[in-house]
């Protein structure tokens, strides 16, 4: 491989890979705008919903506290008869206790637990209040200042581990304060009390889940059919430590969005990779083609210079010989004149090729179409080439078609195409110097065919030989001088006549070129060599 091409290829590959890698890293690591919007929506909505739910919990519990305060302070009703109906009405409350400030005198009210003996409950509650004495004292100070606060109590007993304890202060004027508290079935409270409120807040737009994170248990969801994600964004309920409220948008989570983004960017990156590699390949191929074309042009200049120099040198030598009167014999003079004529024709042919090619490249070559007889054109070319071919030792055969082969064509252009094919046959014939020219009509196409028994063309080069400046660079072909324009001109002429050129050749077996021109009648099929 050309060192320059190798460097260009490596540079292109490095640029493409660097671009792909940079883009992939940026896109995969950067959260999308949708994800950021969803995260912000989660945070804002969760804060608003949590505040509303917590406030509602506070209102419900405050109502209970107010009712107990009334029941306990009423002189007309005994607590033993007033509290049970309250418990029946509020099923989430499983146990109510009343205690003095020393936590020694404790009264229990419950429809679930046996409070008659209270041998295990009273000591536990006394211990619970003692453990949370600092909190109780703060509640008492708030109550004294006119504020009624509720405080969750910690250190649960295994017997009551499904319940949450809330304490508050009851105090009448002139009396010592009493510590009162509820043991609430948190799951039931959330499902029966908070559930309807959550449904009203979400309006079927969000999925709200309450999770007990201590045992990773789902307590409530407004969409029971949905499987909640433990990793959802969540905040803790005020009155119930360990219980967390989480939120997600229906049918969409951050994790789903992240997966979607990853898949989208993966496909996008793969597609981009393909396009970049494809683009790099085409750039490399075009550069390779341009480098090859530059080399071919350089070879063309060298070959044409040599082609022009040879006839000029011969013309100069023979003219000088004749001018100096060194040739006395008339036969010798005739021979020299013939050589001068041949070399002049050769030089003219080279110049004409270059001029015609220049016009073709500029799109300025004009054709004059008229009705002509293809047999007549080919016959004239063969007659003019007869002496030249015989002088080079060629045997040739012309097989004209029996039909009247009339086509709409430019007489000079068709002659030039046939001459170029004959020149090629002469140049690339080695030991077997045989040329056959044939005309005819087949499948609506009128054709002229030039065959030789020369060195042949490998199938892989059949298309390339019609490219401008192209010359095979190995073997006998490399040693044969030429400009590389002949077949390019032939192809341009045939295509300008809306025809085609077919080639049958293999290395070492000779070549057959067939120029196919549309006849004067409508034709729908193209000619294929048999």
């Amino acid at each position: 491989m050309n060192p320059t091409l190798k460097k260009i290829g490596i540079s292109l590959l490095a640029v493409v890979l660097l671009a792909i890698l940079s883009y992939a890293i940026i896109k995969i690591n950067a959260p999308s705008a949708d994800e950021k919007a969803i995260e912000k929506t989660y945070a804002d909505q969760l804060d608003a919903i949590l505040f509303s739910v917590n406030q509602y919990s506070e209102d419900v519990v405050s109502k209970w506290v107010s009712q107990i305060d009334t029941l306990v302070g009423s002189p007309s009703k005994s607590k033993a008869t007033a509290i049970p109906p309250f418990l029946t009405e509020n099923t989430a409350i499983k146990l109510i206790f009343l205690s003095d400030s020393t936590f020694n005198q404790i009264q229990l009210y419950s429809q679930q637990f046996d409070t008659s003996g209270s041998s295990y409950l009273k000591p536990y509650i006394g211990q619970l209040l003692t453990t949370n004495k600092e909190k109780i004292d703060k509640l008492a100070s708030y109550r004294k200042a006119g504020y009624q606060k509720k405080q969750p109590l910690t250190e649960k007993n295994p017997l009551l581990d499904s319940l949450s304890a809330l304490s508050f202060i009851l105090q009448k004027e002139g009396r010592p304060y009493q510590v009162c508290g509820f043991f609430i079935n948190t799951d039931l409270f959330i499902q029966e009390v908070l559930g309807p409120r959550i449904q009203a807040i979400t309006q079927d737009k969000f999925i709200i889940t309450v999770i007990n994170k201590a045992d990773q248990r789902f307590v409530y969801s407004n969409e029971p059919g949905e499987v909640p994600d433990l990793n959802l964004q969540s905040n803790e309920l005020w009155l119930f430590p360990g219980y967390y409220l989480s939120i997600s948008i229906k049918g969409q989570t951050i994790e789903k969005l992240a997966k979607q983004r990853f898949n989208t960017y993966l496909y996008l990156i793969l597609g981009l990779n393909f396009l970049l590699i494809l683009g790099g390949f085409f750039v490399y191929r075009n550069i390779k083609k341009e480098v090859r074309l530059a080399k071919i042009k350089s070879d063309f200049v060298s070959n044409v210079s040599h082609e022009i120099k040879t006839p000029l040198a011969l013309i100069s030598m023979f003219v000088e010989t004749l001018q100096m009167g060194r040739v006395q014999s008339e036969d010798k003079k005739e021979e020299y004149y013939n050589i001068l004529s041949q070399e002049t024709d050769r030089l003219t042919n080279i110049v004409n090729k270059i001029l015609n090619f220049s016009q073709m490249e500029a799109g300025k070559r004009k054709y004059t179409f008229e009705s002509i007889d293809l047999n007549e054109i080919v016959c004239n070319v063969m007659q003019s080439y007869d002496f030249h071919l015989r002088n080079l030792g060629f045997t040739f055969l012309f097989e004209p078609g029996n039909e009247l082969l009339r086509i709409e064509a430019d007489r000079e252009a068709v002659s030039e195409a046939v001459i170029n094919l004959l020149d090629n046959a002469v140049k690339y014939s080695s030991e077997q110097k045989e040329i056959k020219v044939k005309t005819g009509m087949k499948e609506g196409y009128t054709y002229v065919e030039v065959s030789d028994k020369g060195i042949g063309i490998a199938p892989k080069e059949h298309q390339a030989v019609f490219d401008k400046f192209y010359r095979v660079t190995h073997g006998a072909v490399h040693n044969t001088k030429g400009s590389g324009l002949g077949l390019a001109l032939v192809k341009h002429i045939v295509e300008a006549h809306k025809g085609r050129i077919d080639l049958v050749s293999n290395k070492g077996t000779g070549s057959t070129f067939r120029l196919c021109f549309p006849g004067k009648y409508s034709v729908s099929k193209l000619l294929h060599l048999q």
Side-chain angles (χ1 to χ4, degrees):
M1 182 185 285
N2 188 304
T4 303
L5 280 176
K6 189 174 181 180
K7 289 179 182 178
I8 292 172
I10 293 172
S11 300
L12 278 174
L13 183 62
V15 169
V16 168
L17 290 178
L18 183 61
I20 291 171
L21 185 62
S22 301
Y23 184 81
I25 291 172
I26 292 171
K27 280 297 183 183
I28 289 178
N29 289 334
S32 69
D34 288 341
E35 288 175 49
K36 290 180 179 178
I38 291 291
E39 286 179 353
K40 189 175 186 307
T41 299
Y42 284 174
D44 293 345
Q45 291 294 334
L46 184 60
D47 288 343
I49 292 171
L50 183 67
F51 180 82
S52 179
V53 169
N54 279 326
Q55 189 60 55
Y56 184 72
S57 302
E58 285 274 357
D59 292 343
V60 170
V61 173
S62 294
K63 180 182 176 182
W64 289 349
V65 170
S66 178
Q67 288 177 318
I68 290 296
D69 198 0
T70 301
L71 291 174
V72 171
S74 174
S76 61
K77 292 183 180 180
S78 68
K79 293 188 282 293
T81 58
I83 292 178
F86 173 79
L87 290 172
T88 301
E89 184 180 348
N90 301 288
T91 56
I93 303 175
K94 298 304 179 182
L95 178 67
I96 298 176
F97 67 86
L98 287 169
S99 173
D100 62 358
S101 58
T102 63
F103 312 141
N104 291 321
Q105 301 296 321
I106 297 175
Q107 301 174 39
L108 302 178
Y109 303 91
S110 175
Q111 292 185 340
Q112 179 176 345
F113 299 99
D114 179 13
T115 60
S116 59
S118 303
S119 59
Y120 67 95
L121 288 175
K122 287 183 179 181
Y124 160 66
I125 294 173
Q127 180 62 41
L128 179 66
L129 294 173
T130 302
T131 303
N132 291 272
K133 188 176 187 310
E134 187 176 344
K135 293 180 180 179
I136 302 298
D137 291 342
K138 284 186 180 180
L139 290 174
S141 64
Y142 286 133
R143 179 64 175 167
K144 191 174 182 180
Y147 298 101
Q148 179 63 280
K149 295 284 186 178
K150 283 79 64 181
Q151 180 68 49
L153 300 180
T154 56
E155 301 296 332
K156 290 184 180 179
N157 185 282
L159 295 173
L160 303 174
D161 62 355
S162 62
L163 307 178
S164 296
L166 288 176
S167 65
F168 51 92
I169 301 297
L170 299 179
Q171 188 171 26
K172 297 296 181 181
E173 291 184 9
R175 297 181 184 178
Y177 71 79
Q178 283 184 295
V179 181
C180 186
F182 300 142
F183 279 89
I184 300 172
N185 185 320
T186 316
D187 292 6
L188 192 61
F189 179 85
I190 290 171
Q191 292 164 6
E192 293 185 354
V193 179
L194 297 186
R197 179 64 177 176
I198 291 172
Q199 289 280 9
I201 294 171
T202 58
Q203 297 180 352
D204 207 34
K205 294 180 180 178
F206 302 97
I207 299 174
I208 299 296
T209 306
V210 181
I211 304 169
N212 184 341
K213 287 199 173 180
D215 52 12
Q216 297 293 292
R217 182 167 50 85
F218 297 105
V219 176
Y220 169 83
S221 175
N222 64 328
E223 288 290 332
E226 294 281 343
V227 179
D229 187 349
L230 287 172
N231 297 317
L232 292 175
Q233 186 175 358
S234 59
N235 283 329
E236 193 173 28
L237 294 174
W238 296 343
L239 296 178
F240 305 103
Y243 287 82
Y244 287 79
L245 196 72
S246 65
I247 184 172
S248 64
I249 293 176
K250 277 192 174 181
Q252 198 68 283
T253 65
I254 296 176
E255 287 69 25
K256 287 181 182 178
L257 280 175
K259 188 174 181 181
Q260 283 181 358
R261 176 176 64 86
F262 178 81
N263 290 336
T264 300
Y265 285 146
L266 179 62
Y267 295 138
L268 182 64
I269 289 167
L270 289 177
L272 180 64
N273 290 354
F274 174 76
L275 290 177
L276 284 173
I277 291 171
L278 189 65
F281 169 75
F282 280 115
V283 169
Y284 176 75
R285 193 176 72 167
N286 287 336
I287 291 174
K288 184 179 179 181
K289 186 176 180 181
E290 289 300 318
V291 170
R292 184 171 65 86
L293 186 60
K295 185 178 183 305
I296 289 173
K297 285 182 178 180
S298 177
D299 293 341
F300 166 75
V301 172
S302 176
N303 290 333
V304 168
S305 299
H306 186 273
E307 288 276 293
I308 292 175
K309 185 186 290 185
T310 300
L312 283 176
L314 290 172
I315 290 170
S316 177
M317 181 183 70
F318 285 108
V319 167
E320 184 181 348
T321 301
L322 290 170
Q323 282 179 339
M324 294 179 69
R326 294 177 180 176
V327 182
Q328 303 299 325
S329 168
E330 291 298 323
D331 291 339
K332 202 67 174 176
K333 286 181 180 180
E334 185 67 25
E335 180 185 349
Y336 280 14
Y337 287 137
N338 285 332
I339 292 172
L340 286 172
S341 177
Q342 290 175 16
E343 294 301 322
T344 302
D345 289 342
R346 180 180 169 190
L347 185 59
T348 301
N349 188 33
I350 294 170
V351 173
N352 284 338
K353 274 187 183 179
I354 296 172
L355 291 175
N356 288 337
F357 176 76
S358 177
Q359 288 182 327
M360 181 186 79
E361 284 286 277
K364 294 180 179 179
R365 183 161 187 183
K366 305 297 181 184
Y367 296 96
T368 303
F369 292 91
E370 58 181 319
S371 179
I372 61 173
D373 183 357
L374 185 60
N375 275 336
E376 178 189 344
I377 297 295
V378 176
C379 187
N380 290 338
V381 171
M382 295 302 296
Q383 286 176 357
S384 64
Y385 259 64
D386 180 76
F387 175 78
H388 178 65
L389 292 173
R390 293 184 187 279
N391 192 45
L392 293 173
F394 279 87
T395 59
F396 64 93
L397 178 64
F398 176 38
E399 294 183 0
N402 294 326
E403 311 95 328
L404 181 63
L405 305 178
R406 301 201 69 81
I407 60 173
E408 290 289 333
D410 184 295
R411 184 182 298 272
E412 290 186 6
V414 173
S415 298
E416 181 184 346
V418 175
I419 289 170
N420 279 327
L421 291 183
L422 287 173
D423 279 344
N424 266 20
V426 170
K427 284 180 183 179
Y428 301 114
S429 291
S430 51
E431 291 82 7
Q432 289 184 285
K433 296 186 176 184
E434 298 179 22
I435 296 176
K436 181 180 178 181
V437 180
K438 181 181 177 181
T439 60
M441 180 178 283
K442 190 172 183 179
E443 297 181 2
Y445 271 83
T446 302
Y447 68 87
V448 54
E449 183 179 285
V450 178
S451 302
D452 63 62
K453 293 187 177 180
I455 60 176
I457 303 169
K460 66 179 181 179
E461 295 183 293
H462 282 193
Q463 292 297 323
V465 293
F466 296 103
D467 294 341
K468 56 190 178 184
F469 307 125
Y470 183 85
R471 300 187 73 240
V472 180
T473 56
H474 57 79
V477 180
H478 181 63
N479 297 325
T480 304
K481 298 301 179 184
S483 62
L485 298 180
L487 290 178
L489 286 168
V490 172
K491 182 182 179 184
H492 184 271
I493 291 169
V494 173
E495 289 180 347
H497 287 73
K498 295 182 170 47
R500 60 178 287 173
I501 180 168
D502 291 328
L503 169 61
V504 173
S505 181
N506 274 302
K507 201 170 178 181
T509 62
S511 303
T512 298
F513 289 89
R514 182 181 285 177
L515 308 184
C516 307
F517 299 95
K520 294 190 71 174
Y521 304 97
S522 176
V523 180
S524 60
K525 293 184 179 181
L526 296 179
L527 176 64
H528 295 278
L529 289 177
Q530 302 299 319

